[in-house]
Amino acid sequence: MAKSELLLAVNQIATERNLPREVVVEVLKGALATVFRRMTETASTQAVEVEIDLENGQVRIFTRKTVVEEVRDPRTEISLEEARRIHPDVRVGETLRVDVTPANFAQRIAAQNVRQIILQRIREAEREHLYRYFSEQEGEIVHGVVQAVTPQGATVLLAQGRAEAILPRNQMVPGERLQPHQRIRAYLAEVRQTPRGPQIILSRTHKNMIRRLLETEVPEIYNGLVEIKAIAREPGQRTKVAVAATQPNIDPVGACIGQRGMRIQSLVHELGGEKIDVIEWHPDPAVFIAKALSPARVLTVHLFEEKRSERTAQVVVPDDQLSLAIGREGLNARLAARLTGWRIDIHSLTEALEQWLPRVEDPELRERMGEAARLIPAMQEALARHKAQPNLTWTAEELRDARTFLEAAYQAYMARREAERARRKAHKEARVEAPPAAEALEPAPAAAEELPEAAAEAAPSPEPEPVAVQAASASEPESVVLPEPAPDAREAIPEPAEALSVPEALPEPFGVPEPEPGEVETEIETEAVLGEDEDEEEEEERRRRKKAGKAKERRRVRYEVDFEDETWLRRMRGGRVRDWLEE
């Protein structure tokens, strides 16, 4: 082989396949090692090393042999005398690296089978190189040319035809029609390793495609001056993007839109006319939700957050803005909910006044509203006027007064609810610290055991009373079963309206549940328990009994007044048994 012929061949293959020259050299070494094993029938377990001098085209093969006194297998052993010619200090049992290059090996490797091995190894190396390259590009925007369009999707050529990617039909923008030889940009969603090479999956519906396109079109986002907080997208219809400036004196919305809307228009053109709304992010959820519902004008936003999974925002808009806030088929409200992470209930001003005006008839709420309570008559008149004339437009003064009224009513309602929670918490803590007085009056546990069994059988069974008989002492044996109340026991129990002073139930704002049961105390503990407070109360009660060294858990009967159904509910050990008394 000529002096630079091997070097020219390596460079040509590296250029054609777009592979590094080091990769081509390693592939060539592996192919030559395979050819040598076939020529000399060398075992696959024996190490074979190949050295290539690209300048002069010289190829040398080395193997490792064990030094022995008597050679039995020349492929793996070498005599001591021959070994000392290579290395004078070698001893029997040591391993020596020996040059075993066959004569005219450089000319003999030009055979057709050797060429096929080299080409196969190069194809494998090319596939591995493409997989590593596109794995690093995963999550980025790639450029390609549409090769073919089928009902299942489109085939796109990437990286100057080096790799084929798949754009599935469900990852294409609805209504988009791609044509062969059309240049497109897509989001590289996934790269899979297969025996036939890397399988590349593209997407044009992924919301992160909007993020990458904005980074490409808006230098402020790429440099970190403007940050993308959230993205909500309905492919082919509308996208909402929340942005915020990381430095003062920067308009994040203006930077994304560009001069005369040039930056945002390029994205709209790339996505086939999909509308993009850029919204300024705000740390206050109420303000952020109001901005997320743009282009609709929002009057008030009321937040109800019981748990993170049950966060609800009640939004009030003018009557003429209701359809715009909801959007076609609920699109605008749905995108706003995804963008903010809140469940959004949208109501017109007329609906909101119909819900809140009956509630503020409560004197306590009116007192908490302060000066805003003077707006109640005006709001009642305005509501009656607009209900009589549905097409009548709300004036600016009426909208301003309605906003003041709704905000004051909401603040008063939330303040009363927080006060009620604080009161229940204080009552619960006081009850835990001071043991109930009923425990001191409980009979000794041995009293029941001293009665003879015959006397117990002869004694008449008294009728169970509704409260006093159902409660047992803390030391009562576990095997004792409490009797169920007789059918006529209802007559012995006072009606809720006569025996108890039950506060009037607070109406729920727009269907949001409000846990505010009243508390009732009789001769033994009877109280209203609220969802999570009941579990906490039972856990504290259990810990207190364990600390006191009581082996048996005292049976307890509780009564709960449900204001919605106006029923008394019987509870035993914290679990609801049945509705046993109704008005």
Side-chain angles (χ1 to χ4, degrees):
M1 191 173 291
K3 179 177 180 180
S4 60
E5 188 174 342
L6 181 60
L7 179 60
L8 293 176
V10 170
N11 292 336
Q12 182 179 358
I13 294 175
T15 303
E16 292 177 353
R17 303 286 181 170
N18 199 9
L19 296 172
R21 193 173 71 169
E22 293 76 10
V23 175
V24 178
V25 173
E26 291 298 326
V27 169
L28 184 58
K29 288 181 180 180
L32 294 178
T34 302
V35 173
F36 174 79
R37 293 179 189 277
R38 293 181 180 180
M39 291 175 56
T40 59
E41 298 182 357
T42 303
S44 58
T45 57
Q46 187 175 0
V48 176
E49 301 177 9
V50 180
E51 291 185 359
I52 301 177
D53 189 350
L54 297 178
E55 297 297 331
N56 53 24
Q58 185 179 1
V59 178
R60 300 179 66 185
I61 309 295
F62 294 89
T63 60
R64 293 192 174 274
K65 296 184 178 182
T66 305
V67 180
V68 297
E69 294 182 355
E70 183 179 355
V71 177
R72 296 182 179 180
D73 188 357
R75 294 175 298 179
T76 59
E77 297 176 346
I78 186 174
S79 62
L80 178 61
E81 180 180 357
E82 187 177 356
R84 287 185 174 177
R85 295 175 185 173
I86 303 174
H87 198 288
D89 298 334
V90 71
R91 297 179 182 180
V92 176
E94 295 181 356
T95 302
L96 189 64
R97 185 169 180 264
V98 182
D99 186 354
V100 292
T101 307
N104 300 326
F105 182 72
Q107 286 76 19
R108 293 167 63 183
I109 64 175
Q112 184 68 22
N113 58 346
V114 178
R115 181 181 179 183
Q116 293 298 329
I117 294 174
I118 294 176
L119 293 178
Q120 180 181 357
R121 296 293 180 86
I122 289 177
R123 284 195 293 269
E124 294 175 358
E126 184 180 10
R127 292 172 182 172
E128 184 66 24
H129 178 72
L130 287 176
Y131 175 75
R132 290 198 301 267
Y133 174 79
F134 285 108
S135 296
E136 296 175 357
Q137 298 294 322
E138 191 170 343
E140 302 292 339
I141 295 292
V142 294
H143 299 255
V145 179
V146 178
Q147 184 180 17
V149 180
T150 62
Q152 291 76 25
T155 304
V156 183
L157 290 178
L158 303 179
Q160 299 178 356
R162 293 168 49 204
E164 286 188 356
I166 301 174
L167 181 60
R169 177 64 62 178
N170 59 357
Q171 297 297 327
M172 297 173 61
V173 177
E176 184 179 36
R177 295 184 178 180
L178 300 179
Q179 302 295 333
H181 309 294
Q182 178 182 351
R183 293 185 175 273
I184 62 171
R185 288 189 289 182
Y187 179 78
L188 204 161
E190 185 181 1
V191 181
R192 305 171 184 170
Q193 181 71 287
T194 64
R196 301 184 62 181
Q199 184 180 21
I200 305 170
I201 308 298
L202 302 181
S203 174
R204 285 177 60 83
T205 61
H206 202 286
K207 67 178 183 179
N208 283 340
M209 182 176 179
I210 304 295
R211 182 185 300 272
R212 299 303 179 213
L213 290 176
L214 283 172
E215 292 176 355
T216 304
E217 298 292 338
V218 183
E220 289 81 359
I221 295 179
Y222 182 81
N223 296 330
L225 301 178
V226 176
E227 180 183 1
I228 299 177
K229 290 290 187 177
I231 298 176
R233 184 184 183 193
E234 285 284 343
Q237 300 184 45
R238 183 179 290 272
T239 297
K240 288 182 179 290
V241 183
V243 295
T246 58
Q247 295 183 7
N249 302 326
I250 294 180
D251 181 12
V253 178
C256 295
I257 295 177
Q259 187 176 7
R260 297 182 181 179
M262 294 179 61
R263 293 177 178 176
I264 206 68
Q265 286 300 324
S266 63
L267 270 67
V268 172
H269 177 73
E270 175 67 29
L271 299 175
E274 180 178 326
K275 298 179 181 179
I276 301 177
D277 296 339
V278 182
I279 302 165
E280 184 177 2
W281 180 84
H282 198 278
D284 186 0
V287 179
F288 185 32
I289 291 172
K291 292 184 177 181
L293 287 172
S294 63
R297 291 184 292 107
V298 175
L299 202 61
T300 61
V301 178
H302 299 159
L303 304 179
F304 297 89
E305 186 176 8
E306 299 296 336
K307 300 179 182 177
R308 183 170 181 84
S309 58
E310 300 177 359
R311 301 190 304 177
T312 303
Q314 296 174 352
V315 179
V316 180
V317 298
D319 293 3
D320 58 348
Q321 296 287 310
L322 182 60
S323 59
L324 185 61
I326 296 175
R328 179 179 299 178
E329 298 180 357
L331 177 62
N332 194 55
R334 186 166 59 250
L335 288 177
R338 293 180 188 174
L339 191 71
T340 59
W342 285 73
R343 180 179 177 271
I344 300 178
D345 293 339
I346 305 176
H347 301 270
S348 65
L349 179 56
T350 302
E351 296 174 351
L353 291 178
E354 289 177 351
Q355 295 287 342
W356 281 102
L357 282 175
R359 295 185 175 92
V360 297
E361 295 179 359
D362 187 357
E364 183 182 356
L365 275 182
R366 287 200 178 193
E367 183 180 356
R368 291 181 180 273
M369 288 178 61
E371 294 294 331
R374 59 181 177 81
L375 297 175
I376 295 177
M379 291 295 98
Q380 292 174 345
E381 295 178 2
L383 178 61
R385 184 169 59 255
H386 284 82
K387 289 180 66 176
Q389 303 178 15
N391 296 329
L392 184 62
T393 305
W394 291 79
T395 64
E397 184 178 358
E398 290 176 338
L399 292 177
R400 182 172 61 254
D401 293 343
R403 176 182 297 177
T404 304
F405 165 75
L406 292 175
E407 289 291 346
Y410 166 73
Q411 296 296 336
Y413 171 80
M414 296 301 293
R416 184 173 66 174
R417 191 164 75 165
E418 292 298 328
E420 179 65 19
R421 288 180 177 177
R423 186 187 64 80
R424 292 198 305 268
K425 183 177 180 181
H427 176 72
K428 181 179 63 176
E429 293 176 353
R431 187 175 63 251
V432 171
E433 293 177 358
E439 294 184 0
L441 302 178
E442 293 175 353
E449 299 177 359
E450 294 176 358
L451 294 176
E453 296 181 0
E457 295 177 357
S461 176
E463 292 295 329
E465 297 182 4
V467 174
V469 177
Q470 296 294 328
S473 64
S475 58
E476 185 177 352
E478 186 68 19
S479 60
V480 177
V481 180
L482 294 179
E484 292 292 333
D488 57 347
R490 295 189 179 192
E491 300 178 359
I493 298 177
E495 294 294 329
E498 299 176 1
L500 306 175
S501 177
V502 181
E504 184 179 358
L506 297 178
E508 304 296 339
F510 305 122
V512 175
E514 176 195 6
E516 288 191 5
E519 296 188 1
V520 182
E521 296 184 0
T522 57
E523 296 180 359
I524 59 176
E525 298 177 8
T526 58
E527 55 187 348
V529 183
L530 303 172
E532 296 179 358
D533 293 343
E534 180 183 3
D535 298 336
E536 296 177 1
E537 179 182 341
E538 291 294 335
E539 186 66 20
E540 292 176 0
E541 186 74 16
R542 194 177 297 109
R543 286 198 297 265
R544 185 178 65 81
R545 292 172 182 167
K546 184 176 180 181
K547 185 176 180 180
K550 297 181 180 180
K552 300 295 183 179
E553 181 177 354
R554 179 164 57 95
R555 293 177 178 269
R556 297 169 55 182
V557 179
R558 297 180 180 174
Y559 300 89
E560 174 181 345
V561 179
D562 191 333
F563 294 117
E564 295 181 357
D565 300 334
E566 296 184 353
T567 59
W568 280 30
L569 307 177
R570 178 169 178 255
R571 288 178 176 267
M572 181 178 293
R573 291 187 179 182
R576 179 171 295 178
V577 179
R578 60 189 175 89
D579 296 353
W580 72 297
L581 182 59
E582 298 182 359
E583 286 190 347

